[in-house]
Amino acid sequence: MGNNLQQINQVAVIGTGVIGNGWIARFLAQGYDVIAFDPSEGAEQRTQKAVAQAWPSLEKIGLAEGADRNRLAFMPTIEKAVCDADLIQENVPEREDLKKAVLASIDAHAKKSAIIGSSTSGIMPSVLQEGLAHPERLIVAHPFNPVYILPLVELVAGRKTDQLVMDRAKSFYESIGMKPLIIQKEIEGHLADRLMEALWREALHLVNDGVATTEEVDAAIIYGAGLRWAQMGPFLTFHLAGGEKGMRHMLEQFGPALKLPWTKLEAPELTDELKEKVISGCESHAGDVTIGELENKRNEFLVELLSLVESYWPETTATKKLVVEK
């Protein structure tokens, strides 16, 4: 598949933590040559292990022609990693100064036609474009863990991004089985993370105030909202809550409740006591199951769930145009 898309034949991944390795696994499964760079000791071994862990799930989803785990090579410098790449995916830690320095190095050594995508979960692309010689080719391309299974990728243009770059990026990410969500108005945290962070803050309050344990909060999502959201999301879920008149009746009936103090917008102070509640709760909940075993269970579940979601929302309906308008 990789060789058939205009000008995108080789990809580079800079930063090989959880997200970077997720990208590598997806790119390899889609038949691409991948060049990687990460200065940390043991990075290549960790990547090989991560790709091996992801590969069974990718085989279930379906490998592209030419997909091969051996089409991965690590380079000793950013310059050698990006010089021949058509698309570069940056995944270094969420520190603005570090990202800007790394992106400046990528920008200096990448060929003119290359697209630079940052996996940043919160920094706006216009901020990352500051100081670049070629800011027009930088975008945010923010995925979700595990990148090799979950299809959503938020694409955000900065003030100096060329529209043709966004068009090419959208086509590329679609070609590797992703659902590009084009965010047309820059905002810190983009879209999906802002929604998840709101729920996370409320969950921390509930645990901190002794209302629920971490396991009980998880159960509330798993067996309630989470099941509905996987199919419809919050708006269509509430649309159904309004009965025959849909959202119109729902807002008339339940709209006043929005003024009730049911949520706390500010996060609680992360005290040692709260940290211990969260940590011990998660460890107790997980029991003797290792992180690796949990990842395997999650991957198996997500592969099956994704297939189910696609069967209810085919490309011709909800997913044919994922665009957030201004």
Side-chain angles (χ1 to χ4, degrees):
M1 179 178 293
N3 291 332
N4 294 327
L5 187 68
Q6 182 185 3
Q7 298 181 336
I8 307 291
N9 298 316
Q10 181 176 294
V11 295
V13 174
I14 306 301
T16 58
V18 172
I19 298 300
N21 285 335
W23 277 119
I24 288 173
R26 180 178 280 273
F27 291 148
L28 291 172
Q30 290 293 324
Y32 281 86
D33 291 315
V34 181
I35 306 299
F37 170 77
D38 191 308
S40 61
E41 186 176 352
E44 185 170 359
Q45 291 72 27
R46 288 191 296 273
T47 293
Q48 295 289 359
K49 182 179 178 181
V51 172
Q53 176 92 356
W55 210 252
S57 296
L58 289 164
E59 288 177 325
K60 289 181 181 178
I61 294 171
L63 300 177
E65 183 179 352
D68 189 337
R69 286 158 53 183
N70 294 318
R71 293 179 69 174
L72 167 67
F74 268 74
M75 292 293 166
T77 65
I78 286 181
E79 178 180 0
K80 290 186 176 181
V82 307
C83 62
D84 294 322
D86 301 304
L87 180 134
I88 300 119
Q89 194 76 40
E90 170 274 311
N91 316 278
V92 301
E94 286 288 295
R95 295 198 341 249
E96 184 180 318
D97 57 341
L98 175 61
K99 281 194 177 289
K100 283 185 172 181
V102 170
L103 288 169
S105 182
I106 292 171
D107 186 45
H109 299 298
K111 59 187 183 181
K112 185 177 180 181
S113 61
I115 297 171
I116 303 173
S118 174
S119 295
T120 179
S121 60
I123 305 173
M124 295 190 295
S126 289
V127 173
L128 296 178
Q129 288 176 335
E130 295 170 358
L132 296 185
H134 301 286
E136 70 281 352
R137 60 178 174 171
L138 181 131
I139 64 169
V140 162
H142 173 236
F144 295 83
N145 186 42
V147 182
Y148 51 89
I149 297 178
L150 294 184
L152 183 64
V153 56
E154 295 177 322
L155 301 185
V156 194
R159 287 190 294 271
K160 297 180 179 180
T161 301
D162 189 321
Q163 182 59 46
L164 290 177
V165 170
M166 282 293 285
D167 294 342
R168 286 183 62 213
K170 181 176 182 291
S171 294
F172 168 72
Y173 290 111
E174 286 177 337
S175 78
I176 60 171
M178 304 192 85
K179 305 290 186 185
L181 178 62
I182 300 175
I183 313 297
Q184 295 190 6
K185 184 175 182 179
E186 289 185 85
I187 188 172
E188 293 90 346
H190 321 315
L191 175 59
D193 272 356
R194 292 180 72 94
L195 296 171
M196 289 188 288
E197 283 292 326
L199 180 62
W200 173 235
R201 287 192 292 270
E202 189 65 24
L204 288 175
H205 275 294
L206 293 169
V207 171
N208 192 50
D209 295 345
V211 175
T213 64
T214 58
E215 185 172 3
E216 289 166 345
V217 170
D218 282 354
I221 299 299
I222 292 169
Y223 300 112
L227 289 172
R228 300 186 302 187
W229 289 345
Q231 184 189 12
M232 293 188 175
F235 281 101
L236 277 185
T237 294
F238 281 133
H239 184 54
L240 292 183
E244 290 296 324
K245 294 184 178 180
M247 182 62 79
R248 183 177 302 279
H249 179 68
M250 187 274 172
L251 290 178
E252 293 173 352
Q253 184 79 5
F254 299 105
L258 293 173
K259 296 295 185 181
L260 297 177
W262 283 4
T263 60
K264 299 179 178 180
L265 295 178
E266 295 293 332
E269 183 180 353
L270 201 57
T271 61
D272 290 340
E273 181 182 5
L274 177 54
K275 286 181 183 179
E276 188 54 39
K277 280 185 178 181
V278 172
I279 294 168
S280 62
C282 290
E283 290 176 346
S284 174
H285 188 183
D288 296 329
V289 183
T290 67
I291 294 295
E293 290 169 336
L294 284 174
E295 286 180 345
N296 286 335
K297 286 178 178 289
R298 176 202 65 189
N299 290 355
E300 291 173 7
F301 174 81
L302 288 176
V303 169
E304 292 189 33
L305 180 61
L306 185 57
S307 177
L308 181 63
V309 169
E310 291 286 359
S311 72
Y312 275 84
W313 290 113
E315 193 69 28
T316 54
T317 56
T319 58
K320 66 181 179 182
K321 186 182 179 184
L322 289 178
V323 177
V324 177
E325 300 294 349
K326 291 183 180 180

